[in-house]
Amino acid sequence: MVLQAFRTLCQRLQQHHPLQLESPPHQSRRACVAAILRCRVDDPVPNQTIARNVDDFLAQPWVQNSEPELLFIQRATREGDRWSGHVAFPGGKNEAGETDEDTVVRETMEEIGLDLASDAFLPLGKLDARELTSTMNGELLMILIPYVYIQVVPVTPEMTIQTSEVGAVEWVPLRFFLTPASQPGPWIREPLAGRRRHISSTLGRIMAPITQYSLGTISFPAIDLPSESGHMLRLWGLTLGMTRELIEMTAPEEEDDDSGGRPAWQRKKEQIPFVTMANSLPTYSHPDLTLLVTLFVRFCRRKGHSKEKVYFAALRWAIYTAVLIRASVAMAFVSWFIRRLLRNSRSVL
């Protein structure tokens, strides 16, 4: 079953037409990551002819007795790094004059020592490009392009880990994401107003905890990955979304009906427990924010935006509205308190 799912994934990636996004003139920053697949074999494999295309690779006998795996890294813990300690795919930001392909090859080589441009790897395709924006003001931070590669040799080339960037490397069996027995981990809880970093003003330091308490926390779905190295690897956020997009493509092929709706395999993907978990919307500690987000999602949907843009636009408007409501209530309370205080003072006089 897993090998058939892996074969289906490879075939769909080659046929996939991902969303392409060009960087606007005001924000040229781009980043690329590599989701790397391999077929692990426990027994030594005789010398094999290196496959020059995916079909030749899938036809090799040793692949039929292998365990498909997906590579993850854990970012090194670094002060001031917004992705410190996160589980991710290898990759990073572009440099001047680079193409996206140049960036993903260079960053993967620098971080884990694998040369994606060598004969040991073949490009399978790309996932949809993503806009990374600020939750608070919608400012575009960068465009992210996820590439997918497959290792076409039975033995993984020796890796050289850049310890300043990478804390751990783990190959996770594809089987883990396809089995109903895999259990989601504790949800990741974050302050909705963000962490208090680089706040220099006295007013900012005073208002930050008040704002955080007022808005509460947001919790994201997560899952703990199996780890042979003993590291605690909790997959969530952006990389969870990209992994979900990969696993969706393993859904079995079925004959389409005549309803004119989505392809049957896209309906079938929703029956994969991991996909259902990863598609779960964040939850909020304050119930009114949940209601506001729901209302604004319905409003923004009529604007014809993409699903991702709709949700984060709705979240920003919900935050603005919640802050306005809380500020209005606070001002009303202060006004009432002052009037009461003045009335009491007059009665004493």
Side-chain angles (χ1 to χ4, degrees):
M1 181 189 77
V2 176
L3 282 171
Q4 180 56 47
F6 173 71
R7 181 183 296 272
T8 301
L9 170 62
C10 293
Q11 292 168 346
R12 290 211 176 106
L13 276 167
Q14 293 179 92
Q15 300 165 3
H16 182 53
H17 298 287
L19 174 67
Q20 307 278 356
L21 294 175
E22 297 298 326
S23 297
H26 67 275
Q27 179 54 281
S28 61
R29 182 178 296 174
R30 298 173 75 83
C32 303
V33 297
I36 304 172
L37 292 156
R38 75 172 182 182
C39 289
R40 178 177 58 80
V41 287
D42 295 325
D43 299 325
V45 177
N47 292 333
Q48 299 286 325
T49 302
I50 295 179
R52 299 300 179 184
N53 59 67
V54 176
D55 290 336
D56 288 348
F57 167 73
L58 293 173
Q60 297 200 45
W62 66 270
V63 174
Q64 311 309 313
N65 299 304
S66 65
E67 181 74 30
E69 295 179 324
L70 178 62
L71 183 142
F72 293 90
I73 66 171
Q74 185 176 43
R75 294 283 174 197
T77 302
R78 297 191 303 175
E79 184 67 27
D81 182 0
R82 65 185 301 167
W83 289 290
S84 174
H86 285 201
V87 172
F89 295 130
K93 300 182 186 70
N94 65 337
E95 293 183 352
E98 281 188 331
T99 65
D100 293 338
E101 291 84 356
D102 293 338
T103 299
V104 74
V105 169
R106 175 184 56 77
E107 284 286 347
T108 303
M109 186 66 184
E110 289 177 357
E111 290 189 343
I112 60 175
L114 293 181
D115 185 2
L116 297 179
S118 71
D119 290 340
F121 298 92
L122 282 177
L124 270 179
K126 292 187 287 186
L127 303 178
D128 290 345
R130 288 157 162 81
E131 290 182 333
L132 305 188
T133 59
S134 167
T135 303
M136 297 306 295
N137 59 19
E139 178 187 0
L140 178 64
L141 302 177
M142 70 181 72
I143 302 292
L144 175 68
I145 302 92
Y147 283 81
V148 186
Y149 285 82
I150 187 169
Q151 177 185 305
V152 294
V153 293
V155 179
T156 302
E158 184 178 357
M159 289 191 280
T160 305
I161 310 302
Q162 186 181 29
T163 55
S164 61
E165 297 280 346
V166 179
V169 176
E170 195 75 46
W171 290 97
V172 176
L174 205 63
R175 183 184 307 275
F176 170 77
F177 301 103
L178 300 174
T179 173
S182 59
Q183 297 294 321
W187 283 41
I188 300 294
R189 181 177 296 176
E190 293 280 321
L192 191 54
R195 294 189 179 93
R196 284 173 279 172
R197 291 175 178 159
H198 311 303
I199 299 176
S200 56
S201 68
T202 302
L203 180 60
R205 286 194 294 270
I206 294 173
M207 292 302 298
I210 297 175
T211 305
Q212 288 185 355
Y213 178 79
S214 173
L215 294 177
T217 59
I218 180 172
S219 297
F220 300 92
I223 190 168
D224 292 337
L225 301 178
S227 173
E228 294 183 357
S229 62
H231 289 84
M232 200 284 286
L233 304 176
R234 185 156 292 166
L235 177 63
W236 69 287
L238 189 61
T239 308
L240 176 66
M242 291 185 284
T243 306
R244 183 214 69 224
E245 193 174 337
L246 278 174
I247 300 304
E248 285 177 345
M249 293 187 188
T250 66
E253 194 72 67
E254 288 186 357
E255 190 172 326
D256 286 353
D257 59 22
D258 297 326
S259 64
R262 294 173 298 164
W265 75 267
Q266 290 191 3
R267 296 192 299 273
K268 196 75 173 177
K269 71 188 182 183
E270 295 168 357
Q271 300 177 20
I272 302 174
F274 171 79
V275 171
T276 302
M277 181 278 297
N279 271 326
S280 301
L281 292 176
T283 60
Y284 305 90
S285 59
H286 293 352
D288 62 328
L289 273 168
T290 302
L291 176 61
L292 287 170
V293 170
T294 303
L295 292 175
F296 280 117
V297 161
R298 292 182 180 179
F299 172 78
C300 295
R301 188 176 293 155
R302 294 197 294 269
K303 303 297 183 181
H305 295 155
S306 68
K307 181 179 177 181
E308 188 176 67
K309 277 192 173 183
V310 164
Y311 184 80
F312 285 104
L315 175 57
R316 285 192 294 273
W317 279 107
I319 292 173
Y320 298 154
T321 305
V323 169
L324 181 61
I325 292 173
R326 284 155 173 71
S328 299
V329 171
M331 290 175 64
F333 174 78
V334 170
S335 176
W336 170 84
F337 182 77
I338 291 174
R339 288 199 304 270
R340 185 180 177 87
L341 195 63
L342 290 174
R343 193 162 49 244
N344 290 342
S345 63
R346 289 195 194 102
S347 64
V348 171
L349 294 174

